[in-house]
């Protein structure tokens, strides 16, 4: 697992590969809660602090003494009705909610587990669990993430975590996003139960598939296509992931039914929306905030300064593409040295890394780039320092010529780099 920055600066924990920390907590004071409004909703009349609609002030302009025509009056009424109407999601009547465990109930009353995937860390404890049925437990395996409310409160992220889980519970299904089975909570923990990916982690699956250590270009293209499609869906739902990296990608296997022997197909899926922005608005200008999320080596330059945009997710995908094609990160270790120590780096240190990323150049001359010009062009655009130089959206990236070329292009030469 990629190590992460989490909690307060004096309570950060590190794990895994050195120098690849994840940014978990907001800097400075807690951010003000963003107003929640269903996607596609219309504006509503402002309200007073009591929550009741404002009443016309006494000094408002007096209506004209001239009588209004029936057409004008009807038009005004329709306009007012539109202004006061909030479009509700189609599933509004069937919205799923976090299940609160009643006093005396324990999570062990509903789920059992004996396999632990992760003991403790920034993402909390992770186990493989099975739900308990009235007559005993079922055979269905799920993955449960157990998050401490106390840790979330220390970093002022409990409310955001709750909003993210509520959004994920009601996210329209997509084959590229691992669905949430249910979310439970008690006074101490959140329990996020999700579908188990039978293919395991992305890199684990790739090493298993290409045990000679060589990954063909066609396989890289399929992986990237799956990731982009998942991100298209997430962005369309008004969310930013903000922490796309190999650790947050898994592979789901599906057994196809056909006349011949059963054939298994694989699909890369996006998981772990703990850092997501659940209330992202397409009209947002991406202003800087005091919040820092994500994982350092996968963060876009502007994310280090607290600015999060759809193009930031695309930058993270660009880092993954560069890794798969070359076996190394786009930038050397010394670019991030200011932020490599434990704890959340100060704004000053992040500014230093931001400047170094601007001054450094990514190597696109070495192998395998000369033999993969279309892929090189896409990766270069994804890793552009300036937001305006990247694709405007994941949909635009999917229209790049690299995806339009023969999927077997480059497969003859096969190896791009040895998988580590």
């Amino acid at each position: 697992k990629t190590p992460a920055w989490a909690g307060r600066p004096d309570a950060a924990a590190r794990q895994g590969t050195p120098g690849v920390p994840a940014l978990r907590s907001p800097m400075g004071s807690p951010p003000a809660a963003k107003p929640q409004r269903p996607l596609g909703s219309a504006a509503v009349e402002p309200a007073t602090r009591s929550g009741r609609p404002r009443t016309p002030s006494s000094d408002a302009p007096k209506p004209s003494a001239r009588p209004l025509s029936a057409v004008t009056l009807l038009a005004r009424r329709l306009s007012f009705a539109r202004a006061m109407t909030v479009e509700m999601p189609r599933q509004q009547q069937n919205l799923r909610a976090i299940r609160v465990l009643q006093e005396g109930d324990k999570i062990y009353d509903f789920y059992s587990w004996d396999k632990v995937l992760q003991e403790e860390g920034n993402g909390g404890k992770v186990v493989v669990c099975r739900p308990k049925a009235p007559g005993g437990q079922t055979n269905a395996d799920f993955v449960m993430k157990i998050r401490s409310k106390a840790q979330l409160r220390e970093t002022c992220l409990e409310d955001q975590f709750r909003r993210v889980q509520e959004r994920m519970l009601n996210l329209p299904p997509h084959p590229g996003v691992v669905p949430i089975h249910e979310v439970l909570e008690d006074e101490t923990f959140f329990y996020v139960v999700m579908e188990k990916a039978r293919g395991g982690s992305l890199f684990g699956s790739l090493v298993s598939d290409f045990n000679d250590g060589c990954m063909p270009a066609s396989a890289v293209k399929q992986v990237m296509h799956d990731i982009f499609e998942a991100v298209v869906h997430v962005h369309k739902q008004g969310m930013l992931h903000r922490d796309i990296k190999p650790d947050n990608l898994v592979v789901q296997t599906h057994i196809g039914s056909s006349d011949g022997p059963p054939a298994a197909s694989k699909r890369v899926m996006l998981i772990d929306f703990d850092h997501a922005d659940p209330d992202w608005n397409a009209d947002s200008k991406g202003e800087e905030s005091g919040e820092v999320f994500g994982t350092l080596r996968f963060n876009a330059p502007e994310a280090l300064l607290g600015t999060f945009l759809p193009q930031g997710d695309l930058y993270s995908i660009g880092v993954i593409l560069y890794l798969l094609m070359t076996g190394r990160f786009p930038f050397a270790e010394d670019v991030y040295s200011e932020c490599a120590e434990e704890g959340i780096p100060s704004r000053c240190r992040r500014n230093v890394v931001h400047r170094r990323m601007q001054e450094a150049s990514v190597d696109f001359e070495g192998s395998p780039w000369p033999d993969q010009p279309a892929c090189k062009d896409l990766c270069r655009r994804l890793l552009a320092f300036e937001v305006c130089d990247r694709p405007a959206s994941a949909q635009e990236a999917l229209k790049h010529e690299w995806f339009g070329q023969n999927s077997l292009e480059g497969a003859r030469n096969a190896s791009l780099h040895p998988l580590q």
Side-chain angles (χ1 to χ4, degrees):
K1 291 287 290 182
T2 300
W5 285 323
R8 294 177 176 173
D10 59 343
R14 303 240 347 247
Q15 59 180 3
T17 307
V20 192
L23 309 176
R24 292 277 175 174
S25 93
M27 305 297 294
S29 58
K34 298 179 181 179
Q36 299 186 41
R37 176 165 61 88
L39 297 177
S41 62
V44 297
E45 290 289 325
T48 63
R49 291 185 178 181
S50 65
R52 292 186 288 271
R54 293 186 185 274
T55 55
S57 59
S58 58
D59 56 349
K62 304 297 182 182
S64 172
R66 184 178 178 181
L68 298 175
S69 68
V71 174
T72 302
L73 187 59
L74 177 60
R76 289 191 176 183
R77 287 178 177 174
L78 289 175
S79 177
F80 177 78
R82 281 194 297 269
M84 293 299 295
T85 300
V86 177
E87 296 179 13
M88 305 304 290
R90 295 179 180 178
Q91 304 100 334
Q92 182 69 37
Q93 295 180 351
N94 300 312
L95 282 180
R96 299 168 64 197
I98 297 175
R99 177 153 60 126
V100 180
L101 298 184
Q102 301 302 313
E103 185 177 356
D105 287 343
K106 303 295 183 184
I107 189 63
Y108 307 108
D109 298 331
F110 303 95
Y111 289 91
S112 64
W113 63 83
D114 52 22
K115 183 177 181 180
V116 178
L117 300 179
Q118 176 179 304
E119 271 295 346
E120 290 296 337
N122 297 303
K125 186 172 183 176
V126 182
V127 301
V128 177
C129 65
R130 288 187 174 184
K132 291 183 177 179
Q137 66 182 29
T138 67
N139 293 324
D141 282 341
F142 293 90
V143 171
M144 178 190 293
K145 175 183 289 189
I146 305 173
R147 290 300 307 268
S148 165
K149 288 186 174 181
Q151 290 182 354
L152 291 169
R153 288 167 188 156
E154 286 179 1
T155 53
C156 305
L157 291 176
E158 183 181 2
D159 289 341
Q160 176 183 298
F161 185 86
R162 182 184 299 278
R163 293 201 310 274
V164 169
Q165 302 313 316
E166 290 170 345
R167 287 297 312 274
M168 293 304 298
L169 280 169
N170 296 283
L171 194 75
H174 187 273
V177 179
V178 171
I180 300 297
H181 178 65
E182 70 169 331
V183 181
L184 306 92
E185 69 169 310
D186 55 26
E187 293 182 354
T188 310
F189 296 101
F190 287 104
Y191 307 92
V192 183
V193 184
M194 66 197 82
E195 182 180 296
K196 183 177 184 291
R198 293 180 291 272
S201 66
L202 172 61
F203 278 2
S205 176
L206 293 178
V207 171
S208 176
D209 289 344
F210 308 103
N211 50 26
D212 61 350
C214 297
M215 185 177 179
S218 57
V220 176
K221 186 177 299 186
Q222 185 59 57
V223 168
M224 301 310 298
H225 193 275
D226 288 351
I227 297 173
F228 274 118
E229 283 195 334
V231 172
V232 166
H233 178 69
V234 171
H235 288 179
K236 279 186 175 180
Q237 302 307 314
M239 296 182 70
L240 300 180
H241 189 281
R242 301 198 295 193
D243 194 21
I244 299 176
K245 58 183 178 180
D247 285 347
N248 289 337
L249 295 166
V250 295
V251 176
Q252 185 63 285
T253 57
H254 302 277
I255 306 299
S257 57
S258 61
D259 297 336
S265 63
K266 294 188 174 184
R267 175 91 188 206
V268 179
M269 304 182 76
L270 195 57
I271 63 170
D272 199 346
F273 284 73
D274 290 4
H275 289 190
D277 180 356
D279 306 315
W280 174 70
N281 191 319
D283 296 329
S284 172
K285 297 180 181 179
E287 297 179 354
E288 289 187 16
S289 69
E291 300 173 315
V292 184
F293 297 96
T295 302
L296 181 61
R297 284 203 157 208
F298 295 90
N299 271 85
E302 69 277 2
L304 294 174
L305 306 182
T307 299
F308 295 94
L309 296 164
Q311 291 87 346
D313 281 349
L314 302 189
Y315 182 95
S316 301
I317 299 174
V319 177
I320 295 173
L321 176 57
Y322 195 92
L323 265 174
L324 291 176
M325 294 293 288
T326 68
R328 61 183 184 273
F329 283 101
F331 295 112
E333 289 275 354
D334 57 357
V335 171
Y336 302 99
S337 59
E338 289 293 322
C339 295
E341 61 187 43
E342 290 190 13
I344 301 170
S346 65
R347 176 60 181 264
C348 181
R349 289 177 179 270
R350 288 184 281 121
N351 285 342
V352 172
V353 175
H354 182 270
R355 187 182 70 250
R356 288 177 180 173
M357 292 176 72
Q358 185 176 24
E359 295 171 350
S361 59
V362 180
D363 177 19
F364 282 103
E365 302 305 322
S367 176
W369 300 119
D371 299 325
Q372 302 287 336
C375 182
K376 171 183 174 180
D377 179 73
L378 173 60
C379 193
R380 188 194 295 273
R381 292 187 60 196
L382 292 171
L383 293 177
F385 182 85
E386 298 293 344
V387 173
C388 59
D389 293 331
R390 297 177 212 150
S393 65
Q395 277 182 311
E396 181 180 312
L398 278 173
K399 295 177 182 178
H400 191 274
E401 61 174 329
W402 183 53
F403 290 111
Q405 293 175 350
N406 187 335
S407 62
L408 297 180
E409 179 188 2
R412 298 187 195 90
N413 298 329
S415 74
L416 297 177
H417 69 89
L419 290 168
Q420 302 297 323

